[in-house]
Amino acid sequence: MAHSLKIFCCFFFFFLFSTLSIIPLSHQLEQHPLDSLTPNEFIRVQAIVNQSHPSTINDITFQYIGLNEPDKQALISWLQNHRPTPITAPPPRQAFVIARINHQTHELVVDLSYDNIVSDHIHHGFGYPLFTFQEQNRASQLVFNHAPFLAALNKRGLKVEEVICETFALGWFGETKQNGRVVKVMCYYLDGTVNLYMRPIEAITVTVDLEAMKITHFRDRLVVPVPKAAGTDYIESEQKAPFGPELKGITVVQPDGPSFIIDGSRVRWANWDFHLTLDARVGPIVSLASIYDTEKQEFRRVMYRGFVSELFVPYMDLTEEWYYRTFFDAGEYGYGLCAVPLEPLRDCPANAVYMGAFVAAQNGMPIEMPNVFCIFERNAGDVMWRHTETMIPPDLITEVRPDMSLVVRMVSTVGNYDYINDWEFKQIGSIKVTVGLTGLLEVRGSKYTHKDQIDEEVYGTLLAENTLGAYHDHFISYHLDLDVDGESNSFVKSKLETVKVTDQTSPRKSYWKVVSETAKTESDAKIKLGPDSA
Amino acid sequence: MAHSLKIFCCFFFFFLFSTLSIIPLSHQLEQHPLDSLTPNEFIRVQAIVNQSHPSTINDITFQYIGLNEPDKQALISWLQNHRPTPITAPPPRQAFVIARINHQTHELVVDLSYDNIVSDHIHHGFGYPLFTFQEQNRASQLVFNHAPFLAALNKRGLKVEEVICETFALGWFGETKQNGRVVKVMCYYLDGTVNLYMRPIEAITVTVDLEAMKITHFRDRLVVPVPKAAGTDYIESEQKAPFGPELKGITVVQPDGPSFIIDGSRVRWANWDFHLTLDARVGPIVSLASIYDTEKQEFRRVMYRGFVSELFVPYMDLTEEWYYRTFFDAGEYGYGLCAVPLEPLRDCPANAVYMGAFVAAQNGMPIEMPNVFCIFERNAGDVMWRHTETMIPPDLITEVRPDMSLVVRMVSTVGNYDYINDWEFKQIGSIKVTVGLTGLLEVRGSKYTHKDQIDEEVYGTLLAENTLGAYHDHFISYHLDLDVDGESNSFVKSKLETVKVTDQTSPRKSYWKVVSETAKTESDAKIKLGPDSA
């Protein structure tokens, strides 16, 4: 699918982790103002909100609970006065809550020092809170009690027990009237494979009102063949010979243990010091990343706060069951909520250390996310800097500094698609952010079995019989609040500009020079990737 | 130096490796037609050429000796008939020689089966053969017996024993008359550092005619301060505290040994099979890269031959001593000739295996290049493919395939600049080519000590007192003769084209579609990196 690359993605969910009731406050003696809410804090937040809006007389669901980020200036001032002994109080510890209460979206700030609600605002504008796993799960099960859907399966000769359904956000196409919290439900077929995404049941539209938790619209447009199961299973143990040569074992060994220290949410490695937490919506948040200056003998801040702010995945397909697919994988599904437990030795190497985190369930109670982060030192066999000097007799000087880095990884599986989210800290002082895209391709079922049959726009590439790889993009945006040596940072754009040499003073006809400009607004700082060097 | 990046490079040389006289034909029982010349073959080539042009009556130097690549069709036909038993003879084994004989450039083909010269052509057009280390070394020593140069050092208060000189190719600026084989010599100052490149002795032009081995022009234009030595040394053991935190040991372990097999010049790993040799001009040549198809149970060719064909490094500086710097690091200095011995555990990880090679000295005799390649399996902690499936109760399916690859590395140090040349073979079937640029920045001496003093074009960025980082580019071009499943390959360019939706049939206003075109000529296949997705 070389040319439709921008692969594909999709969404959907399930109840990933088991709920916990009460977890004691952990090993961390002193709480940092940027630490995520503890399990006890989640429980207290839930109790405070429930007290003011009792669930006995209110219909209440928690769509999001997270730390209400303290004011930056207050935090910085506290930090500056904090060591060796705190002389000012930390900024107020607060939670930010988005709850649906009696079918309205409330944005609440809960103070955890005074155990009270600081503000309770009803949101009337555009936009909806994160979906919860529970409501998605309930919505996708509705079809199994919907006679027209069961008839549609019957018409296609499909067994209901092999059908798996998912919920899909609706997008926004300029409507001025809000339609309420509505999703579409689309289904897949197993029957001989675990790779449900390769077996879409096409041309059926099911619309569900999440508030009423009812199917409000159903249409079975036409029958499209379900692609066959053969050759789609990916479970390693199910694969049949012939296999290629097996590779011998290879592992990373650190006889003296790792060189990093994890102290609560704080991570220290080489010259780096940073704070790492998980948020249900945006996933990993790296804060207060600083680097130790060996000459000044002090830490110098590089980044105040960085995270993936959104993953926008629009599909390029106008058909009735596909046109609306323009997903916000963070804002609608939760990049952190969809994080999966990392598989030791496979998702991360042998020298990795794992960290867990907590998010809130729909009832506000904490859910444990075990192994949600791994942290490891990478020695990929690369060279950070080297030089061989042959010019100074009698010796050959060979100086080589191998490249070492620290990787913080989270994997978020949003439906068929797995995002591998890395923050890599390098000894040269740079931070490298990467999102790897893997998982299973989003495909659309089709009547076509050979590309020569296609004489219409099909919005994809025929990959196999009845299987179109769907054209789409993944746009990943980052929130990066860089504070290189403090807050007064500028963004300087430097362009290479060709200068023609018109006089006869040089045999050269041209050269380039560097033209720099300092961005005054965020919009000034836009760089269009282009043929110009910048 | 964020905006002058395209770092810099420079050139020069020395007699890197010790000469050997006779090396027995090695362990390899059967020679492959693409194998580099053996030491014995170099000796035979030298003897054959010397016999026809006796050095007693001719002035003869060998600028290049390498394998005369066999005809592709002949080789492929031999390969197809080769296994299990050869039924056709291999293509003729020949050497290609560029020699200066009585100040003329001869291009000779020497047949090693019949021990004769097949062709001997005198080149009259533009272009010169590779420089040899010996002639560069001799040219750069001439200044030390040149009174005006010694006077120039004296005027600057510099000690002659701390001066190191290098030779620089002249470039071509549209002259219709050839100037013969001429170089410029530029010098640097040690005196308290090994980092000579940070201490250029500016504004002196020395021109040397390589044929006469004489200085033909000298000019001392003005005195520019030599940047100071303090803080420039890079030898690790010379550095003084404070140092940052020391990292604990980390190493790669393969208890059962590597998974690759090296058989002469042939390397096999995972599904890959390829042939690896060193050429004095272009460095590593990867040939006949094939991948084993486990279903068809046969090797399928991916690439017939690939190598770095040139590294073009033009500087953007019009000053008299700099304007001509437009180097061909392969064609003028020899990307393979400048390869350096790799440092175990630093240039390559603990699990690396090293290979040596041979090139010809100026007298035609073989020079051993020990540890010129390293080959290692990379396990960088990355994921090749993964998926977590939460939709199929009761189990969570987690399938993860860690990423493993095979890296073939060479480092070529052309003066101040170290190129790290990797060919990486991936299990997914792709070959990744990388050239890392490291070493020491090319700087120009300057009177300026602070950027606020600069009110003229200085062609660089002031990095330290009296030190300008010189603006330049590194353009690296590859020769890639891809034969994916045979020779009839096409290059298909696919662009994403926005389609506006004008009718009212869809709520969407636009989408993109894929428009593909097959390149008919090499020029058609050009892709301008731009804002368009392709």
Side-chain angles (χ1 to χ4, degrees):
Chain A
M1 247 207 47
H3 50 299
S4 77
L5 283 194
K6 311 268 198 118
I7 311 238
F8 59 103
C9 153
C10 168
F11 345 60
F12 154 60
F13 316 67
F14 208 72
F15 205 81
L16 264 191
F17 306 106
S18 55
T19 45
L20 292 182
S21 44
I22 311 233
I23 298 102
L25 256 174
S26 67
H27 51 291
Q28 239 186 311
L29 289 175
E30 194 192 356
Q31 193 173 45
H32 189 284
L34 292 178
D35 284 353
S36 293
L37 299 184
T38 63
N40 272 326
E41 286 176 328
F42 278 111
I43 294 166
R44 279 164 59 204
V45 168
Q46 190 232 31
I48 294 163
V49 175
N50 276 337
Q51 199 166 27
S52 88
H53 303 277
S55 58
T56 46
I57 54 165
N58 293 283
D59 183 0
I60 178 166
T61 58
F62 292 85
Q63 310 292 130
Y64 172 85
I65 304 178
L67 178 72
N68 193 40
E69 192 81 8
D71 175 71
K72 183 174 173 180
Q73 295 313 323
L75 181 71
I76 287 173
S77 133
W78 174 80
L79 274 174
Q80 278 163 351
N81 296 316
H82 185 58
R83 285 172 193 132
T85 40
I87 52 174
T88 54
R93 178 95 182 147
Q94 298 180 332
F96 182 66
V97 178
I98 301 178
R100 289 289 287 182
I101 304 176
N102 303 327
H103 306 294
Q104 286 190 305
T105 299
H106 286 244
E107 295 177 333
L108 303 106
V109 174
V110 176
D111 191 289
L112 287 155
S113 315
Y114 298 99
D115 279 9
N116 65 350
I117 293 175
V118 174
S119 66
D120 182 346
H121 163 79
I122 297 175
H123 175 81
H124 290 292
F126 277 108
Y128 299 104
L130 275 176
F131 297 131
T132 67
F133 285 152
Q134 290 91 321
E135 66 192 2
Q136 290 182 78
N137 193 31
R138 279 185 64 197
S140 61
Q141 294 304 308
L142 293 175
V143 289
F144 296 109
N145 293 314
H146 193 66
F149 179 76
L150 299 174
L153 292 184
N154 201 38
K155 189 162 79 178
R156 287 164 174 79
L158 303 177
K159 293 171 269 185
V160 66
E161 66 275 17
E162 299 289 340
V163 173
I164 300 276
C165 300
E166 299 191 348
T167 53
F168 291 76
L170 237 62
W172 182 73
F173 298 93
E175 301 90 346
T176 48
K177 191 172 156 282
Q178 284 185 269
N179 298 316
R181 295 178 67 233
V182 173
V183 293
K184 304 244 181 185
V185 172
M186 207 189 128
C187 303
Y188 298 92
Y189 202 51
L190 296 172
D191 201 26
T193 183
V194 296
N195 196 346
L196 57 116
Y197 307 104
M198 293 305 113
R199 307 199 75 192
I201 304 172
E202 285 294 342
I204 299 172
T205 302
V206 182
T207 310
V208 172
D209 181 330
L210 285 183
E211 296 297 324
M213 203 47 86
K214 274 189 183 151
I215 292 173
T216 55
H217 174 259
F218 179 88
R219 177 154 124 101
D220 181 3
R221 192 165 59 90
L222 81 163
V223 173
V224 174
V226 172
K228 60 177 190 251
T232 64
D233 203 310
Y234 52 77
I235 304 261
E236 199 165 9
S237 56
E238 302 282 311
Q239 306 307 310
K240 291 191 188 73
F243 302 115
E246 202 172 317
L247 298 180
K248 292 176 186 165
I250 181 167
T251 190
V252 182
V253 173
Q254 294 192 279
D256 305 319
S259 301
F260 56 86
I261 294 163
I262 302 176
D263 175 14
S265 305
R266 188 178 166 201
V267 181
R268 274 170 291 170
W269 175 78
N271 279 7
W272 283 102
D273 187 328
F274 59 91
H275 193 269
L276 172 69
T277 55
L278 183 84
D279 177 72
R281 188 174 72 82
V282 302
I285 300 179
V286 173
S287 311
L288 300 173
S290 307
I291 197 153
Y292 190 72
D293 184 324
T294 51
E295 287 185 17
K296 289 194 177 181
Q297 306 234 2
E298 64 180 35
F299 277 96
R300 298 166 70 178
R301 198 160 67 245
V302 174
M303 187 174 73
Y304 180 71
R305 197 158 169 252
F307 54 85
V308 168
S309 54
E310 193 50 272
L311 303 104
F312 174 46
V313 190
Y315 282 75
M316 299 296 138
D317 191 325
L318 299 190
T319 54
E320 188 176 321
E321 301 82 17
W322 281 74
Y323 80 88
Y324 60 83
R325 302 189 186 202
T326 54
F327 305 107
F328 291 120
D329 281 352
E332 293 174 330
Y333 297 98
Y335 195 42
L337 210 56
C338 294
V340 297
L342 295 166
E343 191 81 39
L345 301 177
R346 293 183 162 261
D347 275 318
C348 312
N351 59 329
V353 170
Y354 296 81
M355 281 170 78
F358 292 88
V359 294
Q362 181 175 295
N363 63 4
M365 293 298 280
I367 304 178
E368 190 178 14
M369 311 272 278
N371 285 16
V372 77
F373 292 132
C374 76
I375 302 185
F376 62 92
E377 289 167 89
R378 162 135 61 201
N379 176 9
D382 285 325
V383 170
M384 178 167 67
W385 176 83
R386 83 170 317 288
H387 183 58
T388 298
E389 187 52 69
T390 61
M391 288 293 291
I392 309 173
D395 300 324
L396 195 70
I397 298 171
T398 304
E399 290 279 318
V400 188
R401 318 271 191 265
D403 195 29
M404 297 280 286
S405 61
L406 187 77
V407 178
V408 174
R409 177 167 296 165
M410 177 203 73
V411 171
S412 183
T413 299
V414 188
N416 57 326
Y417 216 91
D418 300 57
Y419 294 102
I420 300 171
N421 190 102
D422 283 358
W423 284 86
E424 186 171 0
F425 296 84
K426 297 193 165 253
Q427 278 184 291
I428 51 167
S430 66
I431 304 175
K432 184 178 170 189
V433 292
T434 319
V435 177
L437 296 163
T438 179
L440 296 154
L441 195 66
E442 178 80 345
V443 303
R444 185 158 67 87
S446 164
K447 64 180 175 185
Y448 297 112
T449 54
H450 192 281
K451 70 184 166 79
D452 293 346
Q453 300 161 351
I454 304 172
D455 59 357
E456 56 168 345
E457 178 66 89
V458 290
Y459 312 108
T461 300
L462 195 72
L463 303 175
E465 283 181 15
N466 308 119
T467 311
L468 285 166
Y471 293 153
H472 67 286
D473 295 289
H474 288 256
F475 295 101
I476 298 158
S477 57
Y478 279 85
H479 171 105
L480 297 174
D481 183 354
L482 296 173
D483 275 6
V484 181
D485 253 346
E487 289 178 86
S488 28
N489 281 205
S490 303
F491 183 83
V492 179
K493 242 199 299 197
S494 295
K495 285 185 190 166
L496 308 188
E497 212 172 86
T498 302
V499 182
K500 300 277 179 199
V501 181
T502 47
D503 58 22
Q504 299 300 309
T505 53
S506 170
R508 292 283 287 258
K509 293 200 170 62
S510 69
Y511 67 101
W512 52 253
K513 62 176 185 177
V514 177
V515 179
S516 299
E517 51 187 63
T518 303
K520 288 190 187 61
T521 65
E522 276 200 28
S523 161
D524 270 358
K526 278 184 196 164
I527 292 178
K528 194 161 189 181
L529 292 173
D532 300 330
S533 309
Chain B
M1 244 205 47
H3 49 301
S4 75
L5 281 194
K6 306 268 195 117
I7 311 239
F8 60 97
C9 154
C10 164
F11 345 61
F12 154 67
F13 316 68
F14 207 73
F15 204 79
L16 263 192
F17 304 107
S18 56
T19 46
L20 292 181
S21 44
I22 310 233
I23 299 101
L25 256 172
S26 68
H27 51 290
Q28 235 185 313
L29 289 175
E30 193 191 356
Q31 193 173 44
H32 189 284
L34 292 178
D35 285 352
S36 293
L37 299 184
T38 63
N40 272 327
E41 286 176 328
F42 277 110
I43 294 167
R44 281 163 59 204
V45 168
Q46 190 232 32
I48 294 163
V49 175
N50 276 337
Q51 197 166 27
S52 87
H53 303 278
S55 58
T56 46
I57 54 165
N58 294 280
D59 183 1
I60 177 167
T61 59
F62 292 86
Q63 311 292 128
Y64 172 85
I65 304 178
L67 179 72
N68 193 39
E69 192 81 9
D71 174 73
K72 182 174 173 179
Q73 295 314 323
L75 181 72
I76 287 173
S77 133
W78 174 78
L79 274 174
Q80 279 162 350
N81 295 317
H82 185 58
R83 285 176 190 127
T85 40
I87 51 172
T88 53
R93 178 94 181 148
Q94 297 179 332
F96 182 65
V97 179
I98 301 178
R100 288 290 288 181
I101 304 176
N102 303 327
H103 307 293
Q104 287 190 305
T105 299
H106 286 244
E107 295 177 334
L108 302 106
V109 174
V110 175
D111 190 291
L112 286 155
S113 314
Y114 298 99
D115 279 8
N116 64 351
I117 294 176
V118 175
S119 66
D120 182 348
H121 163 78
I122 297 175
H123 175 79
H124 290 291
F126 277 108
Y128 298 104
L130 276 176
F131 297 131
T132 67
F133 285 152
Q134 291 93 321
E135 66 192 1
Q136 289 182 80
N137 193 31
R138 280 186 65 196
S140 62
Q141 294 306 306
L142 292 175
V143 289
F144 296 109
N145 293 313
H146 192 67
F149 179 76
L150 300 174
L153 292 185
N154 201 38
K155 189 161 81 180
R156 286 165 174 79
L158 303 176
K159 293 170 270 185
V160 65
E161 65 276 15
E162 298 289 341
V163 174
I164 300 277
C165 300
E166 299 191 348
T167 54
F168 291 76
L170 237 61
W172 182 73
F173 298 93
E175 302 90 346
T176 47
K177 191 171 154 282
Q178 285 184 267
N179 298 315
R181 296 178 67 233
V182 173
V183 293
K184 305 244 181 188
V185 172
M186 207 188 129
C187 303
Y188 299 92
Y189 202 52
L190 296 172
D191 201 26
T193 184
V194 296
N195 196 346
L196 57 116
Y197 307 104
M198 292 305 114
R199 308 199 75 194
I201 303 171
E202 284 295 340
I204 299 172
T205 301
V206 182
T207 310
V208 171
D209 180 329
L210 285 182
E211 296 297 324
M213 202 47 86
K214 274 189 185 153
I215 293 174
T216 54
H217 173 258
F218 179 89
R219 180 155 121 101
D220 181 4
R221 191 164 60 90
L222 82 163
V223 173
V224 174
V226 172
K228 60 176 192 254
T232 64
D233 203 311
Y234 52 77
I235 305 261
E236 199 164 11
S237 55
E238 303 282 311
Q239 305 307 310
K240 290 189 189 73
F243 301 114
E246 202 171 317
L247 298 180
K248 291 176 186 165
I250 181 165
T251 190
V252 182
V253 174
Q254 294 191 280
D256 305 319
S259 301
F260 56 86
I261 294 163
I262 302 176
D263 176 13
S265 305
R266 187 178 166 201
V267 181
R268 275 170 292 171
W269 175 78
N271 278 7
W272 283 101
D273 187 330
F274 60 91
H275 193 269
L276 172 69
T277 55
L278 183 84
D279 177 72
R281 189 174 72 81
V282 302
I285 299 178
V286 173
S287 312
L288 300 173
S290 306
I291 198 154
Y292 190 73
D293 183 324
T294 51
E295 286 186 18
K296 288 195 175 180
Q297 307 232 6
E298 63 179 35
F299 277 96
R300 297 166 70 179
R301 196 159 69 246
V302 173
M303 185 174 72
Y304 180 69
R305 199 158 170 252
F307 54 86
V308 168
S309 54
E310 193 51 271
L311 305 104
F312 174 47
V313 191
Y315 282 76
M316 298 297 137
D317 191 325
L318 300 189
T319 54
E320 188 177 320
E321 300 81 18
W322 280 76
Y323 80 88
Y324 59 83
R325 300 188 186 203
T326 54
F327 304 108
F328 291 121
D329 281 352
E332 293 175 329
Y333 296 99
Y335 194 44
L337 210 57
C338 294
V340 297
L342 295 166
E343 192 85 328
L345 301 178
R346 292 183 163 262
D347 275 318
C348 312
N351 59 330
V353 171
Y354 296 82
M355 282 169 77
F358 291 87
V359 293
Q362 182 176 294
N363 64 4
M365 293 298 280
I367 304 179
E368 190 177 11
M369 311 272 278
N371 285 17
V372 77
F373 293 132
C374 76
I375 301 184
F376 61 93
E377 289 167 89
R378 161 136 59 203
N379 177 9
D382 286 325
V383 171
M384 178 166 69
W385 176 83
R386 84 172 313 289
H387 184 59
T388 297
E389 188 52 68
T390 60
M391 288 293 291
I392 308 173
D395 300 322
L396 195 70
I397 298 171
T398 304
E399 290 279 318
V400 188
R401 320 272 189 264
D403 195 30
M404 298 278 288
S405 61
L406 186 77
V407 178
V408 175
R409 177 168 297 166
M410 177 202 73
V411 171
S412 182
T413 300
V414 188
N416 57 328
Y417 216 92
D418 299 56
Y419 294 102
I420 300 172
N421 189 102
D422 283 359
W423 283 87
E424 187 170 359
F425 296 84
K426 295 191 165 259
Q427 277 185 291
I428 51 166
S430 66
I431 304 175
K432 184 177 170 190
V433 293
T434 320
V435 177
L437 295 162
T438 180
L440 298 154
L441 194 66
E442 179 80 345
V443 304
R444 185 157 67 86
S446 164
K447 63 182 175 184
Y448 298 113
T449 54
H450 192 282
K451 70 184 167 78
D452 292 346
Q453 300 160 351
I454 304 173
D455 59 357
E456 56 167 346
E457 177 66 88
V458 291
Y459 312 109
T461 300
L462 195 72
L463 303 175
E465 284 181 15
N466 308 120
T467 310
L468 286 165
Y471 293 152
H472 67 285
D473 296 288
H474 287 256
F475 295 102
I476 297 159
S477 58
Y478 278 85
H479 171 106
L480 297 174
D481 183 355
L482 296 172
D483 276 5
V484 181
D485 254 344
E487 288 177 88
S488 26
N489 282 205
S490 302
F491 182 83
V492 179
K493 244 197 303 197
S494 295
K495 285 184 190 166
L496 307 189
E497 213 172 86
T498 301
V499 182
K500 300 277 180 199
V501 181
T502 48
D503 57 22
Q504 300 299 311
T505 53
S506 170
R508 291 284 287 258
K509 293 200 170 59
S510 68
Y511 67 101
W512 52 252
K513 63 176 184 177
V514 177
V515 179
S516 300
E517 51 187 65
T518 303
K520 289 192 183 61
T521 64
E522 277 199 26
S523 160
D524 269 358
K526 278 185 197 163
I527 292 177
K528 196 162 188 181
L529 293 172
D532 301 329
S533 308

